Amino acid sequence: MVSSNYMLIKEIREYASLNKIPIMQNEGIDFLTTFIIKHQIKTVLEIGTAIGYSAIMMCLCSPNLKVISIERDEKRYLEALKNIKKFNLEDRITLIFNDALNVRIDDKVDLVFIDAAKAQNIKFFELFERNLNDEGYIITDNMYFHGLVKKDEKTITSRNLRGIVRKIKDYITFLKNNEDYTTTIYEVGDGIAVSEKNK
Ligand code: SAM
């Protein structure tokens, strides 16, 4: 990465940390960018832009990659627009400001990357799998939800967190039982699921 980009990425990471904005962990972003290069991914639909960090990192790893990314939080969306401009990536990253559940897209992509409200993963999967090319992949982040998915549920005191953990477990079951895809969950970062469309 050229040094000016490195400094800008560092600033985005610091902004995220200061403002408590969840962005992908280093291990997760390394996995995602390596995956993109290895599988020659050219187009990505991302659910959950936050401030544009992962969309920018994906574009920096592959010179012709194009990303469409959806974010429902206005402040984050505006910050993402600013960040994308700093990297001159306006022609490669298209941002949509809306709740993803209200968005319908015509484009076909090689990769759908789900990184939004964890309790809605099944809905996102079902809604956006129609956008996948025949040999496409769906990647989902935070399958372990900060380690909580592997814990005994009774030890999770917050009802809200227990609810999210249950929904992620339902999502894991949904992926395992989905005959149209083969899913592997990797022990990387916060747990990353890769679902490959069966041929
Ligand atoms: N992918 C980003 C990165 O690594 O730089 C991080 C995304 S952050 C984990 C999740 C984002 O998804 C939040 O900014 C949240 O506002 C957004 N989000 C959650 N549910 C959403 C929905 N239904 N539609 C659009 N955005 C959503």
Side-chain angles (χ1 to χ4, degrees), residues 22-24 46 48-50 53-54 70-73 76 98-100 113 115-117 124:
I23 59 171
M24 277 196 102
E46 177 182 59
T49 320
Y53 171 68
S54 50
I70 311 173
E71 174 57 53
R72 69 177 173 189
D73 180 289
R76 291 180 185 181
N98 204 338
D99 189 311
F113 174 46
D115 191 19
F124 295 137

Side-chain angles (χ1 to χ4, degrees), residues 22-36:
I23 59 171
M24 277 196 102
Q25 299 177 2
N26 288 344
E27 249 192 277
I29 207 82
D30 284 349
F31 178 91
L32 184 63
T33 51
T34 306
F35 186 94
I36 284 172

Side-chain angles (χ1 to χ4, degrees), residues 83-190:
N83 287 332
I84 288 160
K85 203 156 187 254
K86 286 183 197 163
F87 286 85
N88 295 316
L89 287 171
E90 300 101 310
D91 56 338
R92 291 174 54 204
I93 303 177
T94 305
L95 290 190
I96 298 173
F97 169 47
N98 204 338
D99 189 311
L101 296 176
N102 298 329
V103 175
R104 303 291 176 272
I105 291 170
D106 293 330
D107 303 62
K108 292 276 182 193
V109 295
D110 301 328
L111 171 66
V112 173
F113 174 46
I114 302 176
D115 191 19
K118 307 305 158 192
Q120 311 275 8
N121 279 345
I122 296 181
K123 284 189 187 160
F124 295 137
F125 191 106
E126 288 182 332
L127 186 55
F128 294 109
E129 65 168 321
R130 75 193 68 175
N131 294 99
L132 267 192
N133 283 325
D134 284 344
E135 299 192 353
Y137 301 88
I138 298 184
I139 291 187
T140 314
D141 192 24
N142 303 109
M143 297 303 293
Y144 298 146
F145 200 56
H146 318 294
L148 291 178
V149 170
K150 289 182 167 183
K151 263 186 144 180
D152 179 354
E153 252 178 58
K154 283 181 235 124
T155 64
I156 305 170
T157 47
S158 152
R159 211 171 138 213
N160 184 30
L161 285 182
R162 260 200 322 271
I164 297 175
V165 166
R166 237 172 257 145
K167 292 271 188 182
I168 294 175
K169 286 183 179 166
D170 289 348
Y171 184 57
I172 292 172
T173 308
F174 163 85
L175 292 176
K176 282 192 179 147
N177 294 337
N178 192 326
E179 290 176 356
D180 296 331
Y181 294 82
T182 303
T183 295
T184 309
I185 299 180
Y186 292 90
E187 304 251 345
V188 186
D190 195 24

Side-chain angles (χ1 to χ4, degrees), residues 13-57:
R13 282 203 187 118
E14 282 166 4
Y15 178 96
S17 161
L18 264 174
N19 293 280
K20 300 195 172 22
I21 295 165
I23 59 171
M24 277 196 102
Q25 299 177 2
N26 288 344
E27 249 192 277
I29 207 82
D30 284 349
F31 178 91
L32 184 63
T33 51
T34 306
F35 186 94
I36 284 172
I37 295 165
K38 185 172 168 202
H39 295 274
Q40 300 180 338
I41 302 291
K42 295 277 174 270
T43 44
V44 180
L45 169 60
E46 177 182 59
I47 321 300
T49 320
I51 55 173
Y53 171 68
S54 50
I56 291 167
M57 289 299 280

